[in-house]
Structure formats: C-alpha cells, structure tokens
Amino acid sequence: MIEYRNLRVALLGAGSVGAQVVAQLQKHGDELASRVGAGLELVGVAVRDIDAPRTAEIPRELLTTDAESLILGADIVIELIGGIEPARTLIMQALTSGADVVTANKALIATHGPELFAMAEQVGAQLYYEAAVAGAIPIIRPLRDSLAGDHVQRILGIVNGTTNFILDRMDTEGQSLEDALATATELGYAEADPTADIEAYDAAQKAAILASLAFHTTVPIESVYREGITAITAAQVEAARSAGYVIKLLAICERVTDAEGIDGVSARVYPALVPRTHPLAAVHGAKNAVFVEAEAAGDLMFYGAGAGGIETASAVLGDLVSAARRHVVGGPGVAESTNSDLPILPIGSVTTRYHITLLVNDRTGVLATIAALFSDHGVSVETVVQTVGAPSDDGTPAPATLVIGTHEASEAALAATVTALSSIDTVRSVTSVLRVEGS
Ligand code: NDP
Ligand code: HSE
C-alpha cells in the first residue's frame, strides 16, 4: 500500500532517450510506484522546441522550454539533454535545490564529475548515472556496489556500439572502413558527424568513468590515452583473422606498476587484437560488453545494448526507482569513493604484447638484423611469420612481409623499437603496429 506522498519528477529532454522514459512511465508508472512505495508524478518535460516531433505522446501541457523553473520543487530531476551546457548548470541547480539527479550524460560525468559529486555530497543529494556507460547494461552499480568489497584489476570494455559495428562488418563481411561507416550511418547507429565515435572520444569518456569507479580514484578525461579506428585497414583486419584474432576498439582500465615500482592506474582506448577465443571476440554488431577482472570474483562479463532510446531508458528508470526509494526510506546518499587516489600513469608505463608488420627486402641477414634491433631495445620476440610474394616480371625479388609478435614489453620500449626499425634500409615500411589484449 502506498502511503508516501507522490514524488515530483522533472524530465529535462525528450529526445531519443527522454521520450522513451516518458513512454515507459506512462506504461509502467503504477507498477514502479508500488515498487517504490510512492507515486511518481511527472510534473513537466523541458525541451528546446515544444512543437518538435516526438517518438512518444507527451501531453502538451507537460512540455516547457523553461527548464530552470521546472527544476524548482522537483524531488528528482532526470537530465537527458546531453552535452556540457546547459546540462551542467541545470544539474547543479537541481542538486542545490535538494533534488536527486539521474543523468545519462557521459560527456558531463567524464569532464565535470568531481564537481557534481562534491555538490551532491555537500547537500546530501545523490547523482545517479547508470546509463552513462554502455546504455542498458548494468555496470555502474556493479562496480560501485557489488564489487565494492573486491579489488578490480582490469576492465576491458567494448563501450562504443558504432565502432564495434564498423569493425565487425570489416571482419565478417570484408567491408572497408568507409563502407562499414556508411552502413552504420544508414542504419542509424552512427551520428551525422561520427567523429566522437570513430576517433574514440566517446569511448574515452566512458573509460574515464569506469576507471574512476573501479579504482576509487579520480581519472580525468585528459589522462585517458586515446587512438580511434580511422587508420584500421581491411588488410589489417584480414591479417588479424588469419592469425586467430579480431580487432576491437577497447576501453582499458588497469592497475599498473611502472618500471620505478610506482603503483598506479592506466586508462586508455585503442583498437587492439583480441584472440578469437576471448569472450569479447563474440560481441558482434552494435552490442557492448564490459569484461571485468577482479581479484576475488575472477572474470565477469556484462553484455547487452549500449545505446538505443528504450534500452537506455531502462537504465534511467532503474536509477529513478533507486532515487525514489531513497526518498521514501531516507538515509544519506552514497558518496563517490576516491579514497585510493592513485597516480594516473602515462601510456609509456603500460606493458602489453604487440604484432608489428614490416615490409622488408628479402636478403640474407635481414632477419638477424631485425631480431638484434628488438633485442637492443629490450623487446623479446615471441613469433615471426614471413611471407614472400612472387618476383616481378623482370626478375626483381618481391619484398617479404614479416609479422613479428612480441612478449610483453613497455609502450616506451616498443615505440623506440618501431622508430629504429623505420630508420634502417632493409625495412621498406612498418605497415602495422597493433597491441594484443585479452590473452
Ligand atoms: P537527443 O538529442 O535525442 O535529445 C536531447 C533532448 O534535449 C531533446 O528533446 C531536446 O529538445 C532537449 N534539449 C536540448 N537542449 C535543451 C535545452 N537547452 N533545454 C531543454 N531541453 C533541451 O539526445 P538523446 O536522447 O540521444 O541523449 C540524451 C542523453 O543520453 C545524452 O547525454 C546522451 O549521451 C545519453 N545517451 C544516449 C544514448 C542513445 O542511445 N541515444 C545512449 C546512452 C546515453 P528538442 O527535442 O526540443 O530539440
Ligand atoms: N554513440 C554511442 C555508441 C552511443 O555508438 O555507442 C552510446 O553512448
């Protein structure tokens, strides 16, 4: 039986996600109310243009362009506008006025999270953001609550659906990156301007959020090393396939000890070779997955839809129910824990394995020269595969392609090796350098 007063819910934004939040509240509002123990009254929906077409029927009297007034008196504010401003100011105003806030805004949490969390703690409010990483997949709450008693060692995440779709198409259909991007745009996965996806800004924001939570340390977005997928070629995808790998854009958050023995955190995003036997290799299309390695729990994988209006609305509504329950039951909010305060280590401190592809002159002693160069830089070679093409019509020998797999080496040592390789005569070109992750 519901005894508590109705809770006043203000929604900011009624686009892809916001409209589906309204639709789900219209459909399941009574059921959610009985779960919470209080009615959830949608008091208004702030938008930019009241007459814009919507994917859900929203009563016109609920629509307003005055978000600031709507916030006043709300118990819970749901921010689904996106971007930094006015979302940041509106969330600050909502928290200051005592409301709990639910947001899906990864850009804002990744860049202004500490300021927002500090404000929430100061006023005793709660900021929820389950939908900010990997859409419908529960990953924020598992990291913050379920794994709070464990030690997360590493996270490997496929957290951008658009790039996973593109790389999957290149792998399974043999499409070029340009054609796969065009298909992603046609199907509505990629934005008109896909820069944030293919240059991995979106994945980097999510990496910053995941690393901060997993390692109880503020990880600023500027400290996340980032490489997008634009340089990935069909030839690299094909070579990866032949060698038993698939190329995935990974957000990697890891506890790392550098050469000086300093314990810290690495957060980075780049396309990497993933063994086809790894669970992340089976994540196809625009799906997302987050693979967590924890000291006691072992390996865990969270999989599902990383985007989509109704899918993302599921995570938003889960947060809404949590916020509403806290109003009914009372008690303090859960502060973000940054107590570990670990140093963020630069990419040069990271160690991983690599596959380097070289085009070399097929002459006596070339292999020995190249092997010595790796050894001089402290990089241990694990595998070497050489293929030689047919000589040209005039009898000139074809160059050989060498694919060299390394044991674990530091990024700094690998970078120095690649520079040295590029400078010797026998190496015509370094055609590909890819990291190997998940093995
Ligand atoms: P949309 O662009 O579809 O919708 C944005 C909404 O905000 C629109 O309704 C727009 O109004 C409204 N709006 C914009 N500016 C203002 C303003 N100044 N005042 C009031 N309202 C304003 O965004 P999405 O629904 O796609 O995304 C919302 C959030 O969810 C973002 O933070 C995004 O990163 C996140 N997210 C989205 C996912 C997705 O699949 N779409 C997945 C995971 C997270 P109007 O309609 O009148 O233009
Ligand atoms: N552009 C993002 C993606 C949307 O492709 O995954 C979800 O954050």
Side-chain angles (χ1 to χ4, degrees), residues 50-427:
I50 288 190
D51 296 315
R54 311 267 160 218
T55 57
E57 274 186 32
I58 304 176
R60 199 177 168 83
E61 63 274 16
L62 286 183
L63 292 170
T64 173
T65 54
D66 186 358
E68 290 197 19
S69 301
L70 181 61
I71 286 171
L72 297 172
D75 297 300
I76 301 166
V77 172
I78 305 176
E79 183 278 309
L80 295 171
I81 293 174
I84 306 302
E85 290 294 353
R88 176 184 152 276
T89 302
L90 291 169
I91 290 180
M92 283 300 234
Q93 284 172 352
L95 291 170
T96 314
S97 75
D100 282 342
V101 172
V102 175
T103 180
N105 195 331
K106 63 231 161 183
L108 186 61
I109 296 293
T111 50
H112 292 276
E115 169 194 1
L116 299 172
F117 297 130
M119 176 55 78
E121 193 171 359
Q122 189 186 323
V123 300
Q126 182 82 48
L127 177 59
Y128 300 83
Y129 54 100
E130 183 61 72
V133 179
I137 304 174
I139 187 61
I140 300 300
R141 215 172 260 107
L143 285 174
R144 188 164 66 182
D145 299 338
S146 320
L147 289 167
D150 206 332
H151 285 89
V152 174
Q153 312 282 23
R154 187 155 72 140
I155 295 174
L156 299 176
I158 295 174
V159 291
N160 182 271
T162 305
T163 46
N164 199 55
F165 178 88
I166 292 169
L167 293 171
D168 191 43
R169 277 291 174 124
M170 292 174 77
D171 179 53
T172 57
E173 312 273 328
Q175 280 190 319
S176 66
L177 189 134
E178 293 71 23
D179 288 350
L181 173 58
T183 312
T185 310
E186 261 168 49
L187 294 174
Y189 294 125
E191 302 289 332
D193 175 6
T195 309
D197 295 313
I198 61 177
E199 295 293 0
Y201 292 103
D202 174 81
Q205 288 166 353
K206 293 165 180 169
I209 296 172
L210 291 176
S212 300
L213 267 176
F215 306 126
H216 308 275
T217 291
T218 300
V219 177
I221 181 68
E222 302 77 35
S223 67
V224 179
Y225 177 83
R226 178 190 55 79
E227 284 176 24
I229 66 163
T230 47
I232 297 296
T233 62
Q236 284 177 311
V237 172
E238 185 47 40
R241 158 176 286 284
S242 308
Y245 295 94
V246 59
I247 299 178
K248 295 287 187 191
L249 181 71
L250 295 183
I252 303 169
C253 312
E254 193 174 23
R255 287 291 305 263
V256 170
T257 304
D258 74 7
E260 275 78 50
I262 296 171
D263 280 329
V265 165
S266 157
R268 54 197 198 269
V269 180
Y270 45 61
L273 295 167
V274 175
R276 286 195 178 260
T277 47
H278 192 281
L280 286 175
V283 179
H284 295 290
K287 286 284 194 287
N288 282 195
V290 184
F291 191 82
V292 180
E293 299 169 16
E295 186 181 304
D299 295 347
L300 306 164
M301 181 144 123
F302 302 81
Y303 167 86
I310 189 164
E311 294 89 344
T312 308
S314 162
V316 171
L317 287 163
D319 280 350
L320 172 62
V321 167
S322 296
R325 280 188 180 141
R326 201 175 80 82
H327 269 273
V328 173
V329 176
V334 183
E336 289 298 299
S337 96
T338 54
N339 57 299
S340 295
D341 202 16
L342 293 161
I344 319 297
L345 298 180
I347 186 73
S349 313
V350 169
T351 62
T352 190
R353 293 167 53 221
Y354 305 85
H355 271 206
I356 301 124
T357 308
L358 309 171
L359 205 58
V360 300
N361 293 325
D362 190 13
R363 286 205 304 254
T364 311
V366 168
L367 208 51
T369 309
I370 289 171
L373 207 143
F374 273 81
S375 163
D376 290 348
H377 290 86
V379 178
S380 172
V381 171
E382 186 184 21
T383 54
V384 179
V385 177
Q386 174 171 316
T387 45
V388 184
S392 57
D393 290 345
D394 65 1
T396 313
T401 300
L402 279 181
V403 181
I404 299 176
T406 73
H407 287 288
E408 287 234 337
S410 75
E411 284 273 342
L414 197 278
T417 309
V418 171
T419 305
L421 284 168
S422 308
S423 69
I424 58 174
D425 286 347
T426 43
V427 174

Side-chain angles (χ1 to χ4, degrees), residues 5-21:
R5 69 177 171 83
N6 278 358
L7 292 168
R8 294 167 59 82
V9 179
L11 176 61
L12 313 182
S16 304
V17 184
Q20 292 309 313
V21 166

